[in-house]
Amino acid sequence: MGKMERFSFVALVAGVIFFLFADFVSWALPMFVLKDIPMKTKTDLAAEAKAKNYSAWADFEKLARYYPEQFKKFCDYEEKFAGAGKVSNCAPNEETFAKALAIGHRWYVAEGCWNCHSQDVRPVSNETLRFGIPGVSNTVSYPSEYQNELQAPVLWGTKRIGPDLIREAAVHDIDWQVAHLYDPASTSPGTNMPGYPWFFEKNKDGKLVPNERGLAMLVYLQWLGTWEVKPTKEWALK
Amino acid sequence: MSNTQDLQNLVNYGLVKAHIAMGLVFFIIVGLVGFLYSLQLDGIYPFPGIEFLSPGRVRMIHTAGAAYGFLVNMFAGLLYWAVPRFTGYRVLSDALGWFMWIALQAAVLITVVAILFLGQADNVEWGETPWWIDPIIVFWLLLHLVQFGAPLFKASQRGPLYVSGWYISAMLVWTPLVVFMGNMIPRFWSAGAGAGAVQSTFIHDLVGLYVTPVAWGLMYYFVPIIMKKPMWSHGLSLLGFWGLAFFYPMNGVHHFLWSPIPMFAQYSAVFATVAIEFAVTSVLINFMMTLRGSAEQLKYNVPLRYMYTGAIFYWITCFQCAFHVTLTFQKVIHFTDWVTGHAHLIMFGTFGLWVLGMAEYVWPKLFGKETMYSKGLSEGAYWLLMIGVLAMFFDLTAAGLVVGFDWIGLNPWIDSVNFSKPFWYFRSVLGIMMLTGLFMYAVNFWKTATAGKGLSAELRSDSV
Ligand code: HEM
């Protein structure tokens, strides 16, 4: 027994070998099982949103139309920490969409939205009914929808004060989101979600409008789950 | 090694004092920001619309501060006391110790500035430090390894290490690996469900492979010293340690049950969690049997009482865990306040009370005094903290059940917020109670350190 009670034995066996074995079981093996799911970058996500005409793309164009002045500022806005620089062609295109996702995601993390909102619809407890999308048969969370840069680290969260957001695109329209982000109590009486006035500014006419960060956040929110939202009827007919 | 001069040469008192003092300061700060955030949930946040006091950011200071500001400082201070004393060798270097002390405070302050003012955070719970700080923390933990590894290594050249030595040696190796794994892999080498599996392993390992072993290591040192008798069973000590070392690191995925992580990993985590219950039970039996015949001391000896209270809370937490780790319980309690109650009972109720007890035992000795300044403050703080955290646990557990069933019932979301409000108000009241306890504790510390004449133990009925 004496040998087991030495620094080098404990450090090697418990400290390194057991630890590596546990990591192998807990995450290396699951990663191996999931390894064939392609990893998507923000650019891939933007291209997909455009190509498949996701609801988020329409919302994005709407925001550009509603707030042209702020949209221009957004194009020039640089944020090193989110890896976002000036865009070359300021229009609602793939490049600006990818930039909006990057900045929106960055502030979603920085504001700790994930401490109150999960992004994980579980297959139990009626969650697919509560957070599901009408007309889509099964909207439980599945691995491939998380295999992208915006889920590294993953945003499942551990606590819900507010509802799950991974199907948010299907829940509210963009106007609701703008009002709610500025002052949640205005749309949801009794809520304890804080307001985020620093995502807004006054425009030339003195009206409150989302600023660069606000626009990005709104695009990000309306993008969540957009891949599960069925295309509108007119689009399906074309 | 019995005379004081030798012991003073062995232990660097300054480092112990500096770490414990900062640990206490951060304990209070962590409590204050926790209280502040609880006001947001009550809907009476006092600073709405101020960007750097955004509740979500404050919440991250609460958890990251608890990990790096409070626990790391406290444990480091107590290690500077305990490790040289049970190994008989000094730590590697005093200069390194002071450098590490400064570096740790700097890292915590930079994290606070980055999260509150720069909006740079990382969505890893307990690893909210921005990613560019994480390599610095890993480097710090490597220094921590050589600093405390040196006396442990030297001592084990002479013969087997005492139980505390096993726990602390393993912890010294685990912690840098855990912090590296949990903060780097999910960001740079994986995404999605794979990253989730790493993050869950990290949440659990920081508790299970840092906080738990260092805390049990210190318990195995302080409890027999205070009671002046050996642990009841060496066999159980061995069983407890190797059980923890093998099963604990496999538990992580139980934080994300019913998630898109492959089911085999979820099942194996549930299995390992049930296995760990046995290891924990063996450790607790050992401590309870050691107490046998000495329980009288709990009446007079506040440090020892902190330690055994914490041990009972540890057992309650682990007993609770045996239920909520099941996939059945998870349906109801995941994402609810049940989990928050669990987190506070273990982090505050067990580890918080333990370090307070240990610090209260060590503190007067650091200043050449026989006793703390005030028995009243010491008792008062104990009762406020103990009752506060226990009540918070019951309160949040109940809230979790109410809300969990409410969600299943598909009622409007706002109902669950409204149903939680009474529980949240009560939690804030308990927060005030616990903070009062902490302030009393801190005042007692301050007075003990600054009291002019040596405080003597004459009036006390115990003699520890
Ligand atoms: C006065 C004392 C304290 C109060 C009032 C308090 C309050 C809170 C609140 C309001 C939350 C957020 C829960 C939620 O998201 O719903 C929280 C989370 C947390 N706190 Fe504290 N806290 C206190 C002390 C501590 C201490 C000392 C520690 C650790 C040593 C700690 C560890 C944690 C952890 C780990 C979480 C995350 C729990 C989760 O994910 O559900 N707290 N606390």
Side-chain angles (χ1 to χ4, degrees):
Chain A
M1 290 300 233
K3 210 172 174 191
M4 264 176 90
E5 301 175 20
R6 307 267 162 132
F7 179 80
S8 35
F9 187 86
V10 170
L12 185 70
V13 178
V16 179
I17 297 179
F18 285 6
F19 179 77
L20 291 181
F21 176 71
D23 287 351
F24 178 72
V25 178
S26 308
W27 54 263
L29 219 50
M31 270 188 206
F32 180 74
V33 173
L34 299 167
K35 74 175 188 325
D36 292 332
I37 306 175
M39 167 83 180
K40 292 179 192 156
T41 63
K42 286 163 224 151
T43 319
D44 297 339
L45 295 171
E48 186 183 289
K50 182 164 187 218
K52 299 195 179 164
N53 197 16
Y54 283 162
S55 61
W57 193 263
D59 287 325
F60 178 53
E61 289 182 326
K62 230 186 229 172
L63 282 170
R65 240 181 310 125
Y66 284 3
Y67 312 109
E69 190 190 326
Q70 280 66 35
F71 190 79
K72 230 190 224 101
K73 276 206 256 168
F74 169 74
C75 290
D76 295 338
Y77 182 61
E78 287 180 56
E79 212 166 81
K80 275 220 188 80
F81 189 70
K86 266 190 192 155
V87 293
S88 45
N89 171 16
C90 186
N93 54 24
E94 288 169 29
E95 191 187 2
T96 22
F97 192 89
K99 177 176 172 181
L101 288 183
I103 295 176
H105 169 264
R106 179 250 157 117
W107 287 99
Y108 183 92
V109 171
E111 291 295 353
C113 309
W114 52 281
N115 280 322
C116 282
H117 292 285
S118 59
Q119 291 192 11
D120 174 18
V121 179
R122 301 181 302 155
V124 292
S125 308
N126 293 336
E127 291 196 2
T128 49
L129 291 177
R130 179 185 284 283
F131 303 117
I133 300 175
V136 175
S137 60
N138 184 9
T139 37
V140 64
S141 290
Y142 48 91
S144 58
E145 61 184 328
Y146 294 93
Q147 204 68 12
N148 61 60
E149 275 183 354
L150 300 180
Q151 294 287 352
V154 80
L155 276 164
W156 290 334
T158 54
K159 185 74 183 68
R160 279 183 191 148
I161 303 287
D164 193 89
L165 294 182
I166 195 67
R167 304 280 177 254
E168 186 58 18
V171 185
H172 299 288
D173 59 27
I174 193 77
D175 307 290
W176 187 95
Q177 294 289 7
V178 174
H180 183 258
L181 189 63
Y182 182 76
D183 177 14
S186 66
T187 57
S188 320
T191 182
N192 56 3
M193 169 163 158
Y196 291 90
W198 49 91
F199 289 148
F200 292 81
E201 63 182 21
K202 288 224 166 89
N203 70 2
K204 275 187 243 134
D205 314 331
K207 275 204 192 127
L208 267 172
V209 293
N211 61 14
E212 302 89 338
R213 290 189 282 166
L215 285 179
M217 177 68 92
L218 290 161
V219 174
Y220 176 71
L221 284 175
Q222 289 299 76
W223 169 79
L224 287 169
T226 186
W227 50 89
E228 288 290 348
V229 181
K230 281 200 167 167
T232 55
K233 284 228 178 71
E234 322 137 57
W235 185 79
L237 281 174
K238 275 181 228 160
Chain B
M1 284 292 168
S2 54
N3 81 53
T4 327
Q5 193 53 44
D6 280 351
L7 286 174
Q8 241 157 13
N9 290 339
L10 202 56
V11 174
N12 184 327
Y13 280 24
L15 279 169
V16 183
K17 287 179 200 168
H19 272 295
I20 291 183
M22 282 316 284
L24 199 55
V25 168
F26 280 118
F27 199 175
I28 293 173
I29 293 175
V30 163
L32 282 172
V33 291
F35 174 68
L36 194 59
Y37 183 73
S38 80
L39 294 179
Q40 172 64 37
L41 299 188
D42 299 344
I44 46 171
Y45 196 66
F47 311 109
I50 302 179
E51 181 168 355
F52 78 93
L53 287 175
S54 166
R57 301 188 191 184
V58 165
R59 161 72 149 79
M60 290 189 266
I61 300 299
H62 180 64
T63 36
Y68 299 114
F70 160 52
L71 289 171
V72 174
N73 260 315
M74 276 292 191
F75 285 137
L78 294 165
L79 285 177
Y80 275 116
W81 175 270
V83 172
R85 287 175 75 115
F86 75 77
T87 56
Y89 293 97
R90 295 180 62 87
V91 292
L92 187 68
S93 151
D94 289 343
L96 177 65
W98 285 110
F99 170 75
M100 284 168 61
W101 183 81
I102 293 170
L104 178 62
Q105 318 313 324
V108 176
L109 290 180
I110 293 172
T111 301
V112 171
V113 171
I115 291 180
L116 290 186
F117 295 94
L118 307 179
Q120 301 195 356
D122 208 356
N123 50 312
V124 179
E125 200 166 14
W126 272 59
E128 291 92 345
T129 46
W131 65 266
W132 44 270
I133 297 209
D134 299 323
I136 302 175
I137 294 178
V138 172
F139 181 69
W140 190 91
L141 289 167
L142 291 173
L143 296 179
H144 185 247
L145 166 63
V146 292
Q147 177 80 322
F148 295 107
L152 288 163
F153 182 75
K154 281 182 210 155
S156 68
Q157 301 295 308
R158 274 194 328 213
L161 282 177
Y162 174 60
V163 191
S164 302
W166 319 335
Y167 278 98
I168 292 166
S169 305
M171 172 282 286
L172 291 172
V173 179
W174 279 328
T175 316
L177 291 172
V178 168
V179 173
F180 178 83
M181 170 198 80
N183 288 286
M184 295 290 129
I185 295 179
R187 170 167 291 270
F188 297 107
W189 292 289
S190 66
V198 184
Q199 282 161 255
S200 61
T201 308
F202 170 75
I203 304 178
H204 201 78
D205 282 0
L206 202 63
V207 179
L209 300 186
Y210 171 64
V211 179
T212 304
V214 68
W216 277 120
L218 291 167
M219 281 288 279
Y220 273 105
Y221 171 75
F222 282 106
V223 167
I225 289 260
I226 293 179
M227 293 205 282
K228 298 195 168 69
K229 63 180 185 190
M231 293 302 299
W232 183 62
S233 156
H234 192 68
L236 280 185
S237 300
L238 274 167
L239 186 70
F241 173 74
W242 288 101
L244 176 135
F246 188 70
F247 288 113
Y248 226 125
M250 281 191 274
N251 283 3
V253 176
H254 71 200
H255 290 269
F256 289 136
L257 295 177
W258 294 119
S259 74
I261 295 176
M263 223 47 210
F264 72 83
Q266 301 189 25
Y267 289 133
S268 77
V270 173
F271 173 79
T273 308
V274 176
I276 200 78
E277 307 290 332
F278 290 97
V280 165
T281 310
S282 76
V283 174
L284 281 167
I285 291 175
N286 204 2
F287 273 86
M288 290 305 161
M289 293 309 277
T290 308
L291 183 66
R292 208 167 56 159
S294 311
E296 184 75 3
Q297 287 193 35
L298 293 180
K299 265 200 212 156
Y300 315 108
N301 192 319
V302 180
L304 192 69
R305 200 186 315 140
Y306 271 117
M307 292 175 203
Y308 272 91
T309 310
I312 290 170
F313 287 169
Y314 191 88
W315 183 79
I316 298 178
T317 319
C318 290
F319 185 68
Q320 184 196 27
C321 184
F323 292 93
H324 71 213
V325 75
T326 58
L327 289 161
T328 316
F329 263 66
Q330 280 292 316
K331 291 181 191 172
V332 182
I333 58 94
H334 191 45
F335 292 128
T336 70
D337 272 329
W338 171 295
V339 182
T340 315
H342 179 75
H344 285 91
L345 191 66
I346 197 74
M347 279 300 133
F348 191 113
T350 301
F351 301 121
L353 294 192
W354 278 357
V355 293
L356 291 184
M358 292 166 190
E360 185 160 331
Y361 169 77
V362 167
W363 195 251
K365 297 184 174 51
L366 290 169
F367 291 91
K369 293 173 182 150
E370 286 177 43
T371 172
M372 292 295 282
Y373 171 77
S374 154
K375 184 82 177 163
L377 283 175
S378 163
E379 287 282 350
Y382 168 83
W383 288 104
L384 284 174
L385 292 169
M386 191 275 270
I387 296 174
V389 70
L390 192 62
M392 180 166 169
F393 166 71
F394 284 121
D395 177 55
L396 293 178
T397 307
L401 287 173
V402 170
V403 168
F405 283 111
D406 179 57
W407 287 343
I408 295 178
L410 294 177
N411 300 312
W413 190 269
I414 201 71
D415 281 8
S416 71
V417 175
N418 289 331
F419 291 159
S420 300
K421 285 263 169 84
F423 296 102
W424 285 336
Y425 290 137
F426 189 53
R427 188 239 316 260
S428 299
V429 172
L430 294 170
I432 295 177
M433 186 168 155
M434 289 146 81
L435 280 165
T436 313
L438 279 178
F439 279 121
M440 285 166 66
Y441 186 95
V443 168
N444 205 10
F445 256 49
W446 178 253
K447 289 284 192 185
T448 307
T450 52
K453 268 177 265 150
L455 299 167
S456 87
E458 259 170 58
L459 294 175
R460 292 182 318 163
S461 35
D462 63 324
S463 56
V464 174

